[in-house]
Structure formats: structure tokens, C-alpha cells
Amino acid sequence: MSGTIIDGKKHAIDLRRRIKIATNNLKSKYGITPGLAVVLVGNDPASEIYVRNKGIQTKEAGMESLEFRLAEDSSEDDLLKKVEVLNNDSAVNGILVQFPVPKHMSQQKIIETILPLKDVDGLHPVNAGYLASGLKGMVPCTPQGAAILIKETLGELSGLHAVIVGRSNLVGKPIAQLLLKENCTVTICHSRTKDLKETCLSADILVAAVGIPELIKEDWVKPGATIIDVGINRLDAPEKGPGKTKLVGDVDYNGAIKNASSITPVPGGVGPMTIACLLLNTLIATCAQNNIEFSDLGF
Ligand code: NAD
């Protein structure tokens, strides 16, 4: 058996197309254009690329993209003040501070300063609480994207056993909550889990969010399982030429695909869904801030 490849790029393009239509409906019906503010501290090259891509895709979706840059040696107070200004700016519906921030700044303090209604990254403890309580709120983008791929691949998830490897606030825990909401039986594994292989082997849906290249092997995969690889690991690739690198996930893709019914590749799987879900959150936040029913936008 060889599994089918879940094409995250295709799913993300379709999601962004639907978001653009809904954004146009918001403009024509209510005269409101969603605004997404992204704050970047310092000049980290990878963050520069992420922020540029976010800006391009925000504009493509018909939204206003606002970028703010602070110098690497700015104080934490400078950044928190900037966030407060954005909290109070009615043209800004979503705020994202690009992480990582310099070491002298507290990521948690920044997360907690963003208004929960504008927290399009879904990391504020209020939003994490809503998610854990099964209530509406902002859902972190990557887990949301992963859950959409799972739903669109499998349809009804009720009663399936989902095993999540990784328990971070950013990925593992929110994915577990989203799949619990879909009536999966959820097992969360982490660095202290015993019998990781046996637990993975019992999964109908196996989500890897660890950060260890190719940790999940072919013989950890139950025949017919759906594999969602959230991991992004950059490795040296001398075979491609001197100094070249390649991206691999947390799953041994070439091995796992032999047992899986479907699997996300890295790159091109979960990754492209993250920005699409950021735009979706910006649209949802704009509706919530203006007392507009999201369903009114025909999404
Ligand atoms: P993290 O370091 O915060 O968490 C890793 C988790 O893995 C922890 O809960 C830890 O307990 C668990 N873990 C570590 N070693 C383990 C082991 N040997 N066995 C089982 N569990 C183990 O990482 P994160 O932020 O959750 O990110 C996880 C991966 O997802 C990384 O590769 C990251 O780059 C990637 N990621 C991708 C996207 C995307 O857009 N696709 C977004 C965020 C993170």
C-alpha cells in the first residue's frame, strides 16, 4: 500500500480564495476592510521572509497589511507600548508579533498584552481557555490548519483514535483540543512518554509536532493511518551541493507513506495552511469586533 499525499498548498490556495470572497462581502455589505498588523523586532532573516509572505498574502486576500519594525535593541517596554497602541487602533483588527523576539523580551508578557479579540495567533491564555472549554475564540493558526487538513481528508472523525506527539501551547495542545471537539479519542505524547512507538501504532490519525527530524518511523505507523507532519527541520544536504540545506519533517516520509492511507509532505503540507488560517482569524476577529455574524459573509 502507498498513501496519498495531502497537498497543503492546494488546500491553502482554496482556503485563501474563500477568505478573499468573504472579505469582499464584508467590504460591500458593511464597508469594513480587515486590518492585520505585524510587528517585527530585529532583522532575523527567516522572520523577514515570514513577515514579507504574510504581507503579500494579506493584501492578496483584500485586507490591509500594516508592518511595524522595531530595532533589535528596543526595550520590552517599547514593544509593549507599540502593542497597546495597536490594541487601541480601530483600523487594526488583528495583531501578530513575529516570534522569536530578542532574548531580553518575555514572549509570554507580549502574548498577554495583546487584546484577546485581536490575538490572531490565538496564543493568549483567554483564547487557550476558550479552546479548552469548547467555546468560540481565536485558535492558533498551525493547529487550525492541521485540523482543517484532517477534516478535509477524512470527513467524519468521530471515534477515531488521534495520537498527538508533542504538547506545546503553540501546536500539540491546541491540535489535541480541536480533535477532541471532533469527538476523536485523543492521546497526547511527549518527551517523557513510555512506549511511544506502540502508542503511535494505535493511531488512526497521527500528528507529529516535535522538532526531531524523522522521529516517526515506518513501523510506527498503523496500516491505513492518516499522518500529519507539523515538524519543520532544516538539515545539511551536501548531496545538493556545498552549503545546501533541505527541510524534513518529524516523520520518515518515504517509510511512513508505505503504511499510511494519507500523509502530509514537508515542505508543502501543514506549512502553507498557517498563513491562510492567520487570514481566516483576521476575518473572524474583524467580524467579532464589529458584531457581525461570520456566517453572514457566505464563508
Ligand atoms: P516545542 O519544542 O515547543 O515542543 C516540542 C514537543 O515535543 C514538546 O512538547 C516535547 O515534549 C515533545 N518532544 C520532544 N522530544 C520528544 C521525544 N523524543 N518524543 C516525544 N515527544 C518529544 O516545538 P513546537 O513549537 O510545538 O514545534 C514542533 C515542530 O513543529 C517544530 O519542528 C516546529 O518547527 C514545527 N512548527 C511548524 C509550524 C508550521 O507552520 N508548519 C508552526 C509551528 C511549529
Side-chain angles (χ1 to χ4, degrees):
M1 180 182 351
S2 185
T4 56
I5 299 166
I6 302 172
D7 185 345
K9 270 192 205 162
K10 210 169 117 209
H11 284 267
I13 288 169
D14 186 52
L15 181 55
R16 297 207 315 268
R17 181 188 58 76
R18 291 168 57 215
I19 292 167
K20 186 173 181 169
I21 293 170
T23 303
N24 285 336
N25 288 343
L26 181 71
K27 283 187 205 176
S28 57
K29 271 180 135 175
Y30 300 96
I32 297 169
T33 301
L36 173 62
V38 177
V39 184
L40 176 61
V41 187
N43 305 304
D44 174 57
S47 294
E48 294 265 0
I49 295 170
Y50 288 137
V51 168
R52 195 168 57 236
N53 286 338
K54 281 169 188 167
I56 292 168
Q57 294 189 26
T58 303
K59 286 179 203 151
E60 277 173 6
M63 301 182 187
E64 198 72 49
S65 166
L66 305 133
E67 271 178 42
F68 301 93
R69 283 161 186 272
L70 272 70
E72 178 86 23
D73 60 357
S74 304
S75 68
E76 183 183 87
D77 208 39
D78 289 338
L79 177 57
L80 296 182
K81 278 187 184 139
K82 183 72 218 170
V83 170
E84 290 290 3
V85 168
L86 298 172
N87 278 342
N88 293 315
D89 184 341
S90 61
V92 172
N93 303 104
I95 303 169
L96 182 145
V97 176
Q98 183 67 44
F99 291 142
V101 284
K103 286 195 170 54
H104 62 277
M105 297 181 177
S106 154
Q107 194 159 304
Q108 192 57 31
K109 211 163 172 184
I110 295 158
I111 289 170
E112 290 182 23
T113 303
I114 297 172
L115 268 185
L117 259 185
K118 295 191 176 186
D119 167 38
V120 282
D121 247 348
L123 296 175
H124 195 289
V126 165
N127 282 317
Y130 283 142
L131 183 59
S133 307
L135 300 170
K136 272 189 193 168
M138 291 290 134
V139 177
C141 303
T142 300
Q144 189 179 168
I148 291 172
L149 291 181
I150 296 169
K151 277 286 285 176
E152 290 182 353
T153 303
L154 290 176
E156 180 58 51
L157 306 182
S158 186
L160 295 180
H161 184 204
V163 173
I164 322 295
V165 190
R167 59 169 163 183
S168 69
N169 288 341
L170 181 63
V171 192
K173 281 184 204 155
I175 291 188
Q177 297 292 357
L178 289 167
L179 294 180
L180 205 51
K181 221 171 170 177
E182 294 294 334
N183 299 314
C184 289
T185 301
V186 177
T187 304
I188 304 177
C189 300
H190 48 79
S191 54
R192 309 286 175 88
T193 297
K194 292 174 182 162
D195 304 329
L196 184 61
K197 176 182 171 183
E198 284 67 28
T199 310
C200 289
L201 263 172
S202 69
D204 302 308
I205 300 166
L206 180 56
V207 181
V210 185
I212 298 180
E214 301 179 338
L215 173 76
I216 312 283
K217 311 283 183 247
E218 176 182 344
D219 61 352
W220 295 25
V221 175
K222 176 166 120 176
T226 295
I227 313 280
I228 304 293
D229 191 352
V230 184
I232 301 178
N233 309 287
R234 190 169 286 283
L235 300 183
D236 291 337
E239 72 277 9
K240 290 168 112 185
K244 295 282 182 196
T245 60
K246 62 177 177 186
L247 292 181
V248 301
D250 292 343
V251 178
D252 167 16
Y253 178 84
N254 291 324
I257 196 169
K258 293 182 199 155
N259 281 339
S261 67
S262 45
I263 183 167
T264 58
V266 177
V270 176
M273 292 297 283
T274 299
I275 299 184
C277 289
L278 174 69
L279 301 175
L280 182 58
N281 278 352
T282 305
L283 193 57
I284 292 170
T286 308
C287 287
Q289 288 157 35
N290 290 282
N291 294 317
I292 295 167
E293 281 295 326
F294 185 61
S295 54
D296 261 14
L297 302 184
F299 184 80

